Amino acid sequence: VDFMKTHEEEHKVRNNKKGYRVTMIIFGAIALISYLAGSFALGNFAVVMFGLYSLNRFVLWKWIQNFQEDKWPRVQNFYKGFMEWALVGKRPIMLMISTVGLFILTFVLVALVKPKVVFFPKADPNFIYTYITLPTGTSAEYTDSITQIVEDRVFKVVGTNNPIVESIISNVAVGANDPSQFEYNFSPTPHLGKVTVAFVEFSGRNGESTAKYLELIRNATKGIPGAEIIVDQESSGPPTGKPISIEIKGDDINQLVKVSGGLKKYLDSLAIPGIEELKSDVQSNKPELVVEVDRERANREGISTAQIGGELRTAVFGKEVSKLKDANDEYPIMLRYQQNQRASIEAIMNLKITYRDMNMGGQIRQIPLSSVASVKYANTFGGIKRLDDQPIITISSNVLNGYNANQIVAKLDKVLKRYTIPTGVTLKMGGEQEEQKETGAFLGTALLVSFGLIFLILVTQFNSISKPVIIISEIFLSLIGVFLGFMIFNMEISVMMTGVGIIALAGIVVRNGILLVEFTEILIKEGMPYRDAIIEAGRTRMTPVLLTATATMLGLVPLAVGLNIDFAELFATGNPHIFFGGDSVAFWGPLSWTMIFGLGFATFLTLILVPVMLYSVEGLK
């Protein structure tokens, strides 16, 4: 027998050596062909892969074998001893009560500490937009002159040869709208301007933050008379409106204008920190030229107001009198006053109106417009927005760097409750806050639906109610790890990404619970006592449970910390261009940390609390 065993070991060693030589030849051939073909990256990749294979065969394999045969069985035996201690007397009930108490304490701490909550996480700006709004009717030339002043101030802030600034672009009239405040309009708007600062990619900034320029540009562009200036960065996620948005609704637009003006003055007087500048989206000072018809004089002259309005419209806007056709298209021929006459009020008022006077038997007459009408100057609304058939005015603002929008909105809610408004007028927080509430409600509904589907599947699998309830409870209790992790490390909680992370976490947590419960049932069917089956199932299944949790958490760490490696450059030149951060970590970081914190605590729940709950439920039965 010893001779046969020695012979088998020698045969195995010879096969391993032969396999190693074959592998070396294959990787060597790939590397040689790649180098000859000029593909140094592929050749270096083949060499590195063979190096890792050799490292595993001659070094790591021995460590792994020692860990699996000596170290890991000790850990399993320690776990078994702990579970034998935990499943005695009243200890299971005490462990369950302690966990539930920690669950309640976690939410109490959340209410007391109040961690920062955001809708979508924000990274350092890649673009900084300076929006310039002048009174309606301002010429494009004047708007351009103001835009140049703003552009000069922006240049003084960022510098002319700043290595992290890619370009500074100015728009006047076309493409100058603020999409978060107005409906985006592709038509020219001469009273609007925009200055855009574009920064280089994050990897080219050498760790320098661009957020400081946002505040510096805000301070530098203040104090231009007659111009409303808003400085903002690009939005992350879908368009949601301003972080601070107060919607005022009612039936009487004049009343709404009065309420919005008074409310804006009141909020400005409070000087709540973090608010950039409150602005109303209604423009009530648009200049208007009103031509008032003296109906009594017009009636004596034998002319109607419809005839006067038609002649005035033809003179100013024109009337199509014919068409000019060529081989491809046709063009309307418009009859109207010349440009210099249309721009002159005196010329318009001296307009000769030709009509047939039926008071004098159909005689054709001509009278100047000034004989039956007069002109006065007035102001009107630039536009009226409606929501659900009711006029609406929105007072909105950005939030300054270093402040949290939800905390400011909470202060505004308290202030608005104390503000007296007329009957028929309603105040409501809209914009980003409204989207945040809707998204939170949707994610909550999605989580409950997923719980329901998981529960139905588990009931079908185990033909039991208690076991699915135990597994589902893991998801709720894993929230302890999520919220404690965010509070301990002082991180922002993103409604969108953290919510998605919790839903994604549910699947992994449930899978680990199923592994333990299912193997416990298998051992019981084989005749093992219930308590021993629970302990043995935990000891046996802790390997796949820990492997699943550890692999998931380690796989999420690069995404959570924003580890960036250029593998193509690594194998081609040896320079991996490693850096941390960027837009991806700002967006996906909250989701990754949610799963890491939650899964870390859920692994403890699976290995300790699930066996305890199984044992306690059986005792209750």
Side-chain angles (χ1 to χ4, degrees):
V1 174
D2 291 341
F3 173 76
M4 291 184 66
K5 180 182 282 188
T6 303
H7 178 72
E8 289 177 359
E9 289 177 354
E10 290 178 356
H11 181 69
K12 186 177 181 181
V13 169
R14 284 198 299 270
N15 287 338
N16 287 340
K17 289 182 178 179
K18 183 180 179 181
Y20 180 76
R21 286 196 295 268
V22 171
T23 305
M24 181 174 61
I25 292 171
I26 292 173
F27 275 103
I30 294 174
L32 181 61
I33 294 171
S34 300
Y35 288 138
L36 292 175
S39 179
F40 294 99
L42 183 58
N44 292 336
F45 178 75
V47 171
V48 170
M49 289 299 102
F50 179 72
L52 293 176
Y53 170 75
S54 301
L55 178 66
N56 176 69
R57 189 181 187 284
F58 294 110
V59 180
L60 298 182
W61 181 80
K62 296 179 181 179
W63 294 354
I64 293 171
Q65 187 177 28
N66 180 58
F67 177 78
Q68 290 179 342
E69 294 177 357
D70 182 35
K71 300 293 190 301
W72 186 241
R74 292 183 186 179
V75 175
Q76 289 179 310
N77 291 332
F78 173 79
Y79 169 77
K80 181 180 179 180
F82 176 80
M83 291 310 302
E84 288 175 347
W85 173 85
L87 300 181
V88 174
K90 295 183 180 180
R91 290 171 185 166
I93 300 298
M94 295 303 297
L95 282 171
M96 292 175 59
I97 293 174
S98 300
T99 307
V100 173
L102 182 60
F103 180 78
I104 296 172
L105 179 62
T106 299
F107 283 91
V108 172
L109 288 175
V110 169
L112 295 176
V113 176
K114 295 180 179 179
K116 292 183 179 180
V117 179
V118 297
F119 182 38
F120 266 95
K122 272 191 175 183
D124 283 352
N126 294 314
F127 299 90
I128 294 180
Y129 302 106
T130 304
Y131 299 102
I132 307 158
T133 304
L134 297 173
T136 303
T138 304
S139 65
E141 290 78 8
Y142 184 78
T143 305
D144 180 61
S145 66
I146 299 297
T147 305
Q148 287 182 10
I149 295 174
V150 173
E151 187 179 12
D152 291 339
R153 296 187 180 186
V154 171
F155 264 108
K156 289 180 181 178
V157 170
V158 301
T160 54
N161 295 313
N162 195 325
I164 69 169
V165 176
E166 185 175 10
S167 63
I168 298 178
I169 303 173
S170 298
N171 294 64
V172 175
V174 178
N177 296 74
D178 182 358
S180 65
Q181 190 170 8
F182 305 100
E183 295 181 2
Y184 200 82
N185 186 7
F186 290 97
S187 61
T189 45
H191 67 289
L192 298 181
K194 181 176 72 173
V195 178
T196 303
V197 180
F199 295 96
V200 299
E201 293 184 356
F202 185 86
S203 57
R205 299 176 193 167
N206 299 320
E208 185 177 355
S209 174
T210 58
K212 61 181 181 180
Y213 291 106
L214 195 63
E215 197 66 30
L216 291 172
I217 292 175
R218 277 182 181 147
N219 295 329
T221 54
K222 289 180 179 178
I224 298 179
E228 289 187 359
I229 295 177
I230 298 175
V231 180
D232 201 2
Q233 70 178 88
E234 77 279 5
S235 60
S236 55
T240 56
K242 296 290 185 183
I244 299 172
S245 181
I246 305 172
E247 295 180 352
I248 309 170
K249 287 177 64 178
D251 296 321
D252 187 355
I253 183 64
N254 294 312
Q255 187 182 45
L256 294 183
V257 171
K258 184 177 179 181
V259 171
S260 65
L263 179 61
K264 182 178 178 301
K265 290 180 181 178
Y266 173 66
L267 295 177
D268 288 340
S269 66
L270 297 177
I272 298 175
I275 298 177
E276 180 188 9
E277 186 178 357
L278 291 170
K279 291 183 173 65
S280 174
D281 66 346
V282 67
Q283 183 184 356
S284 58
N285 59 348
K286 181 180 179 181
E288 182 181 41
L289 188 66
V290 180
V291 179
E292 287 189 339
V293 178
D294 189 331
R295 295 177 179 271
E296 184 178 349
R297 292 179 61 184
N299 187 46
R300 286 202 304 265
E301 296 289 346
I303 186 173
S304 67
T305 54
Q307 289 174 302
I308 297 172
E311 292 286 344
L312 189 59
R313 181 178 183 82
T314 300
V316 177
F317 297 105
K319 178 180 180 181
E320 185 177 338
V321 294
S322 183
K323 291 183 183 293
L324 175 64
K325 296 183 180 180
D326 59 15
N328 299 317
D329 296 306
E330 61 179 23
Y331 307 94
I333 299 175
M334 305 297 293
L335 175 66
R336 62 175 176 173
Y337 269 21
Q338 295 179 4
Q339 174 63 34
N340 59 343
Q341 293 174 322
R342 295 197 306 269
S344 171
I345 297 176
E346 289 78 8
I348 292 294
M349 295 307 296
N350 288 329
L351 167 68
K352 297 294 190 295
I353 302 177
T354 304
Y355 67 101
R356 190 178 294 275
D357 188 354
M358 302 308 297
N359 293 338
M360 301 181 65
Q363 182 179 352
I364 295 177
R365 297 183 57 198
Q366 267 191 345
I367 61 171
L369 177 61
S370 58
S371 64
V372 292
S374 59
V375 175
K376 73 173 185 179
Y377 297 95
N379 290 327
T380 187
F381 298 107
I384 299 175
K385 294 183 179 179
R386 293 182 180 273
L387 180 64
D388 298 333
D389 294 332
Q390 278 190 315
I392 182 172
I393 295 176
T394 303
I395 298 176
S396 58
S397 172
N398 288 320
V399 173
L400 299 177
N401 288 344
Y403 292 90
N404 182 262
N406 287 341
Q407 294 176 348
I408 296 175
V409 168
K411 295 179 182 178
L412 287 174
D413 279 332
K414 296 179 181 179
V415 169
L416 293 178
K417 289 178 182 178
R418 299 196 301 263
Y419 188 76
T420 304
I421 57 174
T423 305
V425 178
T426 59
L427 298 179
K428 187 186 75 169
M429 298 303 300
E432 184 180 291
Q433 295 300 312
E434 188 175 15
E435 292 289 337
Q436 182 172 313
K437 290 180 181 179
E438 292 177 359
T439 302
F442 168 75
L443 290 174
T445 304
L447 189 62
L448 292 177
V449 171
S450 63
F451 283 176
L453 293 174
I454 292 171
F455 185 77
L456 289 176
I457 294 171
L458 293 178
V459 169
T460 305
Q461 178 181 353
F462 294 111
N463 194 24
S464 169
I465 295 295
S466 59
K467 293 181 178 65
V469 169
I470 291 172
I471 295 173
I472 288 289
S473 65
E474 285 188 85
I475 304 174
F476 288 100
L477 295 176
S478 66
L479 297 178
I480 298 174
V482 174
F483 290 113
L484 282 181
F486 276 102
M487 285 190 293
I488 291 172
F489 293 99
N490 194 26
M491 296 180 176
E492 286 186 341
I493 298 176
S494 168
V495 173
M496 188 68 185
M497 305 312 296
T498 303
V500 173
I502 291 172
I503 295 174
L505 178 67
I508 305 174
V509 172
V510 167
R511 177 195 176 280
N512 290 340
I514 291 173
L515 282 175
L516 203 65
V517 174
E518 186 180 28
F519 195 65
T520 301
E521 286 194 337
I522 292 174
L523 294 178
I524 292 172
K525 289 178 181 179
E526 292 178 352
M528 187 177 288
Y530 196 83
R531 181 175 180 274
D532 295 339
I534 291 174
I535 295 173
E536 182 60 26
R539 190 189 72 83
T540 305
R541 289 303 195 191
M542 71 181 298
T543 301
V545 167
L546 287 176
L547 280 175
T548 303
T550 305
T552 304
M553 289 189 289
L554 291 179
L556 288 170
V557 166
L559 192 61
V561 301
L563 175 61
N564 297 270
I565 301 176
D566 190 339
F567 285 100
E569 285 293 317
L570 172 63
F571 292 112
T573 64
N575 185 3
H577 297 290
I578 296 176
F579 66 93
F580 291 86
D583 297 332
S584 60
V585 65
F587 195 75
W588 297 108
L591 183 145
S592 303
W593 285 117
T594 297
M595 298 187 67
I596 291 172
F597 294 145
L599 193 55
F601 191 79
T603 304
F604 157 78
L605 293 175
T606 302
L607 295 176
I608 305 295
L609 202 63
V610 169
V612 166
M613 288 192 288
L614 283 173
Y615 183 75
S616 301
V617 168
E618 186 64 22
L620 291 174
K621 287 182 180 180

